[in-house]
mmCIF file of all heavy atoms in Angstrom:
data_model
loop_
_atom_site.group_PDB
_atom_site.id
_atom_site.type_symbol
_atom_site.label_atom_id
_atom_site.label_comp_id
_atom_site.label_asym_id
_atom_site.label_seq_id
_atom_site.Cartn_x
_atom_site.Cartn_y
_atom_site.Cartn_z
ATOM 1 N N LYS Y 13 2.898 13.896 -9.703
ATOM 2 C CA LYS Y 13 3.817 15.030 -9.686
ATOM 3 C C LYS Y 13 4.491 15.179 -11.057
ATOM 4 O O LYS Y 13 4.573 16.284 -11.594
ATOM 5 C CB LYS Y 13 4.874 14.819 -8.582
ATOM 6 C CG LYS Y 13 6.126 15.678 -8.686
ATOM 7 C CD LYS Y 13 5.846 17.122 -8.309
ATOM 8 C CE LYS Y 13 7.102 17.984 -8.500
ATOM 9 N NZ LYS Y 13 6.812 19.398 -8.652
ATOM 10 N N ASP Y 28 3.826 30.365 -25.013
ATOM 11 C CA ASP Y 28 4.848 31.030 -25.825
ATOM 12 C C ASP Y 28 4.413 31.121 -27.284
ATOM 13 O O ASP Y 28 4.645 32.112 -27.962
ATOM 14 C CB ASP Y 28 6.157 30.251 -25.701
ATOM 15 C CG ASP Y 28 7.276 30.864 -26.526
ATOM 16 O OD1 ASP Y 28 7.751 31.950 -26.139
ATOM 17 O OD2 ASP Y 28 7.665 30.285 -27.560
ATOM 18 N N GLU Y 40 8.225 23.541 -35.710
ATOM 19 C CA GLU Y 40 8.969 22.833 -34.663
ATOM 20 C C GLU Y 40 8.193 22.854 -33.339
ATOM 21 O O GLU Y 40 8.257 21.909 -32.563
ATOM 22 C CB GLU Y 40 10.362 23.448 -34.504
ATOM 23 C CG GLU Y 40 11.299 22.997 -35.630
ATOM 24 C CD GLU Y 40 12.438 23.951 -35.895
ATOM 25 O OE1 GLU Y 40 12.154 25.141 -36.150
ATOM 26 O OE2 GLU Y 40 13.601 23.505 -35.850
ATOM 27 N N ASP Y 43 5.873 19.968 -33.230
ATOM 28 C CA ASP Y 43 6.589 18.734 -32.860
ATOM 29 C C ASP Y 43 6.821 18.652 -31.352
ATOM 30 O O ASP Y 43 6.680 17.594 -30.731
ATOM 31 C CB ASP Y 43 7.971 18.674 -33.541
ATOM 32 C CG ASP Y 43 7.873 18.514 -35.042
ATOM 33 O OD1 ASP Y 43 6.817 18.045 -35.515
ATOM 34 O OD2 ASP Y 43 8.840 18.859 -35.745
ATOM 35 N N GLN Y 44 7.207 19.792 -30.775
ATOM 36 C CA GLN Y 44 7.499 19.814 -29.329
ATOM 37 C C GLN Y 44 6.246 19.523 -28.523
ATOM 38 O O GLN Y 44 6.244 18.703 -27.595
ATOM 39 C CB GLN Y 44 8.093 21.181 -28.950
ATOM 40 C CG GLN Y 44 9.489 21.407 -29.535
ATOM 41 C CD GLN Y 44 9.883 22.876 -29.637
ATOM 42 O OE1 GLN Y 44 9.097 23.774 -29.318
ATOM 43 N NE2 GLN Y 44 11.095 23.136 -30.083
ATOM 44 N N TYR Y 242 1.732 26.036 -9.840
ATOM 45 C CA TYR Y 242 0.929 26.685 -8.805
ATOM 46 C C TYR Y 242 1.335 28.148 -8.639
ATOM 47 O O TYR Y 242 0.496 29.009 -8.383
ATOM 48 C CB TYR Y 242 1.118 25.934 -7.484
ATOM 49 C CG TYR Y 242 0.345 26.528 -6.348
ATOM 50 C CD1 TYR Y 242 -1.022 26.291 -6.226
ATOM 51 C CD2 TYR Y 242 0.959 27.350 -5.411
ATOM 52 C CE1 TYR Y 242 -1.746 26.846 -5.198
ATOM 53 C CE2 TYR Y 242 0.247 27.910 -4.375
ATOM 54 C CZ TYR Y 242 -1.112 27.664 -4.269
ATOM 55 O OH TYR Y 242 -1.825 28.221 -3.250
ATOM 56 N N ARG Y 246 -0.107 32.600 -16.068
ATOM 57 C CA ARG Y 246 -0.009 33.662 -17.075
ATOM 58 C C ARG Y 246 -1.379 33.938 -17.671
ATOM 59 O O ARG Y 246 -2.115 33.014 -17.979
ATOM 60 C CB ARG Y 246 0.927 33.214 -18.218
ATOM 61 C CG ARG Y 246 2.175 32.477 -17.778
ATOM 62 C CD ARG Y 246 3.305 33.391 -17.421
ATOM 63 N NE ARG Y 246 4.445 32.626 -16.945
ATOM 64 C CZ ARG Y 246 5.578 32.445 -17.628
ATOM 65 N NH1 ARG Y 246 5.726 32.980 -18.818
ATOM 66 N NH2 ARG Y 246 6.569 31.746 -17.106
ATOM 67 N N LYS X 13 15.999 13.202 -33.924
ATOM 68 C CA LYS X 13 14.925 14.185 -34.084
ATOM 69 C C LYS X 13 14.235 14.413 -32.738
ATOM 70 O O LYS X 13 13.987 15.560 -32.342
ATOM 71 C CB LYS X 13 13.925 13.668 -35.134
ATOM 72 C CG LYS X 13 12.569 14.350 -35.150
ATOM 73 C CD LYS X 13 12.623 15.762 -35.689
ATOM 74 C CE LYS X 13 11.269 16.446 -35.578
ATOM 75 N NZ LYS X 13 11.348 17.894 -35.666
ATOM 76 N N ASP X 28 12.579 31.289 -20.932
ATOM 77 C CA ASP X 28 11.461 31.893 -20.201
ATOM 78 C C ASP X 28 11.862 32.241 -18.773
ATOM 79 O O ASP X 28 11.476 33.280 -18.237
ATOM 80 C CB ASP X 28 10.275 30.915 -20.206
ATOM 81 C CG ASP X 28 9.070 31.469 -19.470
ATOM 82 O OD1 ASP X 28 8.442 32.412 -19.992
ATOM 83 O OD2 ASP X 28 8.760 30.980 -18.369
ATOM 84 N N GLU X 40 9.110 25.382 -9.350
ATOM 85 C CA GLU X 40 8.486 24.446 -10.291
ATOM 86 C C GLU X 40 9.253 24.397 -11.615
ATOM 87 O O GLU X 40 9.332 23.350 -12.258
ATOM 88 C CB GLU X 40 7.024 24.829 -10.517
ATOM 89 C CG GLU X 40 6.137 24.384 -9.350
ATOM 90 C CD GLU X 40 4.874 25.193 -9.210
ATOM 91 O OE1 GLU X 40 4.963 26.440 -9.110
ATOM 92 O OE2 GLU X 40 3.784 24.594 -9.196
ATOM 93 N N ASP X 43 11.975 21.889 -11.377
ATOM 94 C CA ASP X 43 11.458 20.524 -11.566
ATOM 95 C C ASP X 43 11.253 20.213 -13.048
ATOM 96 O O ASP X 43 11.545 19.112 -13.513
ATOM 97 C CB ASP X 43 10.084 20.363 -10.876
ATOM 98 C CG ASP X 43 10.199 20.423 -9.359
ATOM 99 O OD1 ASP X 43 11.300 20.168 -8.835
ATOM 100 O OD2 ASP X 43 9.182 20.727 -8.694
ATOM 101 N N GLN X 44 10.705 21.199 -13.760
ATOM 102 C CA GLN X 44 10.421 20.983 -15.192
ATOM 103 C C GLN X 44 11.718 20.769 -15.968
ATOM 104 O O GLN X 44 11.839 19.845 -16.771
ATOM 105 C CB GLN X 44 9.645 22.189 -15.749
ATOM 106 C CG GLN X 44 8.224 22.298 -15.190
ATOM 107 C CD GLN X 44 7.627 23.698 -15.294
ATOM 108 O OE1 GLN X 44 8.289 24.635 -15.729
ATOM 109 N NE2 GLN X 44 6.379 23.839 -14.891
ATOM 110 N N MET X 240 15.186 27.450 -29.867
ATOM 111 C CA MET X 240 14.135 26.453 -29.644
ATOM 112 C C MET X 240 13.997 25.562 -30.874
ATOM 113 O O MET X 240 13.254 24.593 -30.854
ATOM 114 C CB MET X 240 12.787 27.140 -29.428
ATOM 115 C CG MET X 240 12.617 27.632 -28.033
ATOM 116 S SD MET X 240 12.970 29.364 -28.002
ATOM 117 C CE MET X 240 13.720 29.591 -26.443
ATOM 118 N N TYR X 242 15.397 25.317 -35.426
ATOM 119 C CA TYR X 242 16.110 25.927 -36.544
ATOM 120 C C TYR X 242 15.487 27.282 -36.908
ATOM 121 O O TYR X 242 16.188 28.225 -37.262
ATOM 122 C CB TYR X 242 16.044 24.985 -37.747
ATOM 123 C CG TYR X 242 16.730 25.534 -38.961
ATOM 124 C CD1 TYR X 242 18.118 25.487 -39.078
ATOM 125 C CD2 TYR X 242 15.998 26.112 -39.983
ATOM 126 C CE1 TYR X 242 18.749 26.012 -40.188
ATOM 127 C CE2 TYR X 242 16.622 26.636 -41.093
ATOM 128 C CZ TYR X 242 17.997 26.582 -41.195
ATOM 129 O OH TYR X 242 18.624 27.111 -42.294
ATOM 130 N N ARG X 246 16.230 32.840 -30.147
ATOM 131 C CA ARG X 246 15.963 33.991 -29.282
ATOM 132 C C ARG X 246 17.271 34.550 -28.743
ATOM 133 O O ARG X 246 18.130 33.789 -28.315
ATOM 134 C CB ARG X 246 15.104 33.571 -28.078
ATOM 135 C CG ARG X 246 13.988 32.609 -28.403
ATOM 136 C CD ARG X 246 12.728 33.305 -28.832
ATOM 137 N NE ARG X 246 11.716 32.336 -29.211
ATOM 138 C CZ ARG X 246 10.613 32.087 -28.510
ATOM 139 N NH1 ARG X 246 10.366 32.747 -27.414
ATOM 140 N NH2 ARG X 246 9.728 31.201 -28.934
#
Side-chain angles (χ1 to χ4, degrees):
Chain Y
K13 163 73 183 158
D28 180 71
E40 283 155 305
D43 292 338
Q44 292 158 357
Y242 179 78
R246 319 274 177 108
Chain X
K13 163 71 185 161
D28 180 71
E40 282 155 305
D43 292 338
Q44 291 159 356
M240 279 100 215
Y242 179 79
R246 319 273 177 110

